[in-house]
Each structure stands twice: as C-alpha cells, then as structure tokens.
C-alpha cells in the first residue's frame, strides 16, 4: 500500500501525457533566417566572397521566388494532420534513404564504466537485461515520465521506436518496423556470429538474473562449440546491397523469413562478444562496429558485453536520437553499478527451456554475398582512425566555477584545437535538440562565428593579454549560446533552408542562394560534433560525416572530459591523434588564461 505522503503527492506525468499540447515546429520568417545565415557564413568566406554571397542572399529575400517558396513551406506546415513539416523529409534524406552502411556512418554507441560487482560477463549481461527490461516496462505502461527541459515537456514520440523495433532494408528507402511489446517478450542473443532466441518470460513469470545468466551460459557453451556462416555482417553493408541480399535471404528458404521475423520482433539484441578490449580505443571500436558479424545492425538497441565484462551499447539512429537512449542507458547503469537493480529470485527453475538457435539457410549464393559483405565491412572500418582523449585535469564542476557554460567551453576548445592544427576555422556542426516541438528531432548549431574566429586568433597571439583573451572567449561563448538557444526554438538556419529547397517543384530554377558555393561550403561539416553525458559513461561515439572531416563525440563529466575523435585514413592527411593533442592543449590554456586574468584583476572588493 502507498504511504499517505505518496497518495497525496501529485501523480507523475505519463510518457505521452503532453503530446497533444506540444507546439508544432515553426517555419521561421525569411527575415529571421537570412541575416542569421549571412552571419554564419561570413567567418568562412573572404571579404570578396562574402560581398557576393550577401548580394545573392538579399536578392533571394526580396524575390518573388523567395516569397513563394516560403509560402509553400508555411502551407505544408499548416496542413491538417501533419505533425511536423520536416519529419518525413528529414527521416528519408538523413536516415532511411541514406544508402551508406549504418555502421560506422549512422549508428552511435556508448561505452560503460566497469561493473566492479559483476566480473563474470554473463552475470553482468543478466543484470543489464533485467535493468533494461524494467525500463521497457515503464515505457510499455507509459508510466515513464516525459523528459523535460526545465519546465518544458519534450516530445516522447521516439520512444515508440525504442523496444521491439528494427530498420528493414528496402530500395530506394528503408522503413522502420515495430512490434507489440505485450506479445513479444523475447530478446535476441548474439554469440560467435550466431543468434539465439531467449524468451524472458517463462510460465508467466519474468526470468530472474540468475536464470538469465544460466541461459546465457548455455548459449555461450553451445555457440563456442560450433561455427556458423556470419549472416549478421549483411546488415553492415551498403543499404541497396543489403536490400538485395535481404530478398535473396528470404527467397532462399521459408525458414529464413521466420528467423528474420523472430529476430526483428525481439525487444533488443544482447551481443556477447568473445573479445577482451583493454584500451579506450579498443573498447570504443568494439562498441562502435565490432567484428561486423556478432551484431544485427538494423535493430534499434544492442547491448554488448565482452568476455572481460567490459560493456557498452549500440543504437540504430534512424528513428531515435541520442537523448532517449542516453536516458535508457543512464538508467541501466545507475541500476546496475549502484546495485539498485531487482535481480529477482536466486533460485533457478529446473524446467527452463533451452534457448532456441535462430538458424539461417545459406546456400552457396548467400554465402558468397556474406563473404563479399564481410570484405567490404573490413575495408570500411580499416579506413578509419580513432583516438579517445580522456582529459582528467578538470570537468564540468571546474568549468562552471570559471563562469562558462560547459558545452560552450568544450565547443570553443574544439575550435581552438582545429585552428592550432590547421591555421583556420571551418564549418562545424553541433547537434541541437528541437524536441520541445511535436515530433521534433534536431537542428544544426553552427559553432563557427565571427566571435569564435576572433577568439582563436587572439589565443594564438603571444602578445595578447589574458584579459583580452578572456574577453574574446566570453564573446565567442555568448554568440554560441545565442545560436544554440535559437536552434532549440526551431529557429536555426539549416532546416529552414532545407525546407525551402525541397518545396521547389520539378523544372523550377534553383534559387541563387542554393547555387552559391558558400551554401554548400557552409554545410560541409569539417567538424561534426555532439555532446551526450552521463557520469556512468566512458565516452560515446560516431563517425565523421565527410571524407575530409572529423566526428567528435564528447562527454562532459563532473571531473573529466572524454572525446571520441574519428576520421578517415585517406589522402586528406587527417590525424585524430594530433587533433586530440590540441584539444587537450586548448582546454588547458583556456582554463589557465581565465585564472591568470582573474589573478591580474585582483581580489574583488
């Protein structure tokens, strides 16, 4: 029975309670977006280039075509029954219609802190499964409280694609399939490139952690005693090739269709890897892409546990951004690392059925396709370099004491590091959430500004005083904060301009603003960055988005900053090690400069 205090308390809001109240994503006025766009491209252009771009943009803003495109976009946003004017376009262009492999190019991962209570891998895996299942129950019952930005509720729509969901390959565009949470109480377990079906409910009762552990031990013993054709690597391939091979797989045998259905309808995948990563780079690579075969990369959620009990998580990005999965994983780790998780009875029932192997029929043509997919996977991941920087000099607490937003501090450290390495500033993407709007996802926060460039130049000027450097840093941070706030209000530049491009009809002339090289250059993300933070993470990561750029995922903990710096090995001469060196140098210099300026100012009266 609840206590009197609990009964009298205001009931917690349910997951979808505020959905009907959320505002729709706005269409900013041209008079808002175009000046903001010009300010964002100015630091990337010469004076002559900017003068030309300014003329083109102003002409577009005053043109009949500009007004017509804006009118069409506003009409689309106002259509009855349309939740979000951007949603279908964005999901197709950025995810479902994107044909490069989801790993390493789309999916993202989290690396967990070690669980000192559970050193045996299947024991840790069992605890993770129980904790994840508890979170799933909150989602299924809708008792999970909606996320809030202070007092503003955020859209919960993406939680529908968290559990029992998968991406399915199809030409020209993939699609998302979801399955009943009530009638699909099984998970898929991967071991030694084989898949097993494990139902977590037996005779109406959820398996305890001890029972899950025993079932996982059975799976490991069975999988390690046999070999199988690594069908999972097909999911790591180019999406068109995978779509063809998917059909080939289905047509090869009715059993394959049944196996796929069982795998795709599972709540999530648990990958038991036979690796024992030690270094941060080794662990990040395991969770980022692994061997390509002990995964089903289309599944929304994959929890990964290695043979030394290192653990992590991999998310398929198409229908879910990072904040919901960060919440899920923070919950799982809080429950397991702090021993809060309900493990159930220690008694193992004697009548538990053997886990069911999920077998594929693989005739020679399928085997050839798998071998070719494996070759392409190995080539792709082999073309990537990675450096993980664990910066432990200070973290969020110290940055706040310096009087600066932690995220803005890190963004400026990245800007300064890139400037130190290349002697210039280039277009930078930072993901900003727009989930205060119905079905909102992200907007691009353009991190490079006139102020950030001035800050970089001044910090690299030996004769500049600490006070002048700090003033430049504060101006850059202020500009960054203003742009980030506008993005969260749905008033960034990139999504609006994308919408104006997409309402063009076939045969209509492309406006000059989109033919201007400045537009393409300002969207060529030499630095693609994003922050997701948990005190329980040892970092997280994703890939670069252009061949001559870096992907930088960072975690801001109370006492540390963790950077996952990915790039390709190619003719552009990128160097993740060197960029990591300069990020460390930049962060150290920024703190030292702020402290020097405070010291020079003397004690406050």
């Amino acid at each position: 029975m609840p206590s009197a205090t609990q009964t009298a308390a205001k009931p917690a809001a349910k997951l979808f309670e505020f959905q009907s109240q959320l505002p729709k994503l706005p269409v900013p006025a041209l008079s808002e977006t175009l000046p903001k766009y010009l300010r964002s491209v100015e630091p990337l252009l010469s004076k002559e280039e900017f003068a030309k771009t300014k003329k083109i943009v102003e002409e577009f803003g005053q043109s009949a075509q500009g007004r017509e495109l804006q009118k069409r976009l506003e009409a689309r946003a106002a259509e009855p029954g349309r939740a979000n004017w951007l949603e279908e376009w964005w999901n197709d262009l950025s995810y479902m219609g994107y044909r490069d492999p989801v790993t390493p190019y789309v999916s993202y991962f989290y690396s967990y802190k070690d669980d000192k209570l559970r050193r045996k891998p299947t024991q840790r895996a069992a605890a993770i499964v129980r904790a994840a299942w508890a979170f799933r129950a909150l989602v299924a019952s809708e008792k999970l409280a909606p996320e809030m930005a202070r007092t503003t509720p955020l859209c919960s729509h993406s939680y529908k694609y968290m559990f029992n969901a998968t991406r399915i390959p199809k030409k020209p565009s993939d699609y998302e399939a979801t399955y009943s949470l009530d009638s699909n109480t099984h998970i898929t377990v991967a071991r030694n490139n084989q898949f097993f079906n494990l139902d977590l409910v037996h005779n109406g009762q959820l398996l305890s952690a001890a029972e899950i552990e025993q079932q996982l031990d059975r799976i490991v013993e069975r999988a390690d005693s046999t070999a199988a054709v690594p069908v999972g690597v097909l999911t790591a391939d180019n999406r068109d090739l995978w779509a063809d091979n998917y059909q080939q797989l289905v047509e090869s045998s009715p059993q394959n269709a049944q196996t796929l259905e069982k795998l795709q309808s599972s709540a999530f995948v648990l990958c038991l890897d036979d690796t024992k990563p030690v270094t941060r780079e080794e662990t990040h690579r395991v969770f980022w892409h692994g061997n390509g075969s002990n995964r089903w990369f289309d599944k929304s959620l994959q929890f990964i546990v290695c043979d030394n009990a290192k653990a992590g998580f991999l998310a398929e990005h198409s229908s879910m951004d990072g904040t919901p999965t960060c919440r899920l994983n923070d919950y799982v780790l809080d429950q397991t690392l702090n021993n809060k998780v309900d493990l159930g009875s220690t008694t193992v029932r004697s009548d538990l059925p053997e886990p069911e192997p999920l077998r594929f029929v693989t005739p020679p043509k399928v085997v050839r396709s798998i071998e070719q997919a494996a070759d392409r996977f190995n080539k792709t991941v082999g073309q990537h370099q990675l450096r993980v920087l664990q910066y432990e000099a200070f973290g969020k607490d110290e940055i706040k004491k310096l009087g600066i937003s932690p995220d803005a501090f890190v963004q400026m450290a990245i800007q300064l590091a890139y400037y130190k390495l290349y002697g210039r500033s280039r277009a930078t993407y930072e993901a900003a959430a727009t989930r205060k709007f119905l079905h909102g996802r992200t907007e691009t926060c353009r991190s490079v500004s006139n102020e950030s460039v001035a800050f970089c130049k001044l910090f690299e000027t030996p004769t500049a005083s600490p006070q002048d450097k700090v003033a430049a840093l504060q101006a850059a941070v202020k500009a960054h904060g203003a742009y980030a706030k506008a993005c969260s209000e749905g008033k960034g530049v990139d999504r609006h301009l994308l919408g104006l491009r997409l309402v063009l009809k076939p045969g209509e002339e492309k406006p000059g603003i989109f033919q201007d090289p400045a537009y393409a250059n300002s969207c060529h993300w030499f630095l693609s960055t994003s922050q997701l933070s948990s005190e329980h993470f040892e970092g997280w990561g994703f890939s670069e988005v252009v061949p001559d750029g870096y992907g930088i995922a960072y975690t801001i903990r109370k006492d540390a900053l963790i950077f996952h710096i990915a790039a390709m090995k190619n003719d552009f001469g990128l160097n993740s090690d060197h960029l990591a060196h300069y990020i460390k140098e930049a962060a150290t210099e920024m703190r030292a400069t702020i402290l020097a300026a405070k010291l020079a100012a003397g004690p406050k009266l």
Side-chain angles (χ1 to χ4, degrees), residues 473-501:
L473 171 59
Q474 290 171 335
V477 164
K478 183 179 178 180
H480 181 268
Y483 200 104
K485 185 175 186 300
C487 288
S488 70
E489 299 293 340
K491 294 187 175 182
V493 161
D494 289 271
R495 305 299 184 261
H496 185 195
L497 292 180
L498 174 64
L500 295 174
R501 276 173 47 209

Side-chain angles (χ1 to χ4, degrees), residues 249-265:
L249 201 59
V250 170
E251 292 166 3
S252 294
S253 168
Q255 180 179 321
N256 288 347
Q258 296 168 8
T259 296
L260 284 167
E261 180 72 11
K262 204 71 177 175
L263 198 160
Q264 291 166 341
S265 63

Side-chain angles (χ1 to χ4, degrees), residues 374-395:
D375 288 343
R376 285 188 289 268
F377 169 82
N378 290 329
K379 182 179 179 181
T380 297
V381 299
Q383 289 172 337
H384 281 81
Q385 56 180 298
L386 168 65
R387 173 64 190 275
V388 182
L389 170 62
Q390 177 97 357
Y391 182 79
E392 296 179 326
F394 57 86

Side-chain angles (χ1 to χ4, degrees), residues 522-542:
S522 74
C523 302
H524 187 89
W525 308 117
F526 289 95
L527 289 166
S528 178
T529 72
S530 186
Q531 182 211 156
L532 281 171
S533 294
S534 166
E535 291 300 313
H536 305 307
F537 289 175
E538 291 288 6
W540 74 292
F542 49 79

Side-chain angles (χ1 to χ4, degrees), residues 13-66:
K14 291 195 172 182
L15 185 58
F16 300 106
E17 182 172 331
F18 297 112
Q19 290 299 102
S20 63
Q21 303 170 32
L22 294 176
K24 290 188 175 183
L25 183 70
V27 176
L30 283 177
S31 59
E32 285 183 286
T33 296
L34 298 182
K36 195 176 296 174
Y37 169 68
L38 283 173
R39 288 196 298 274
S40 76
V41 299
E42 185 176 11
L44 304 173
L45 303 174
S46 67
K47 287 184 178 180
E48 295 77 15
E49 289 169 336
F50 180 69
K52 180 182 175 183
T53 293
K54 187 170 185 287
K55 184 174 183 291
I56 292 170
V57 171
E58 289 174 348
E59 286 174 354
F60 175 71
Q62 296 163 9
S63 69
Q65 186 184 36

Side-chain angles (χ1 to χ4, degrees), residues 408-416 447 452 455 473 476-477 480 590:
F409 182 95
V410 172
Q411 281 290 318
M412 291 309 116
I414 293 170
Q415 287 301 310
L416 181 55
S447 297
S452 74
F455 147 73
L473 171 59
V477 164
H480 181 268
M590 287 162 64

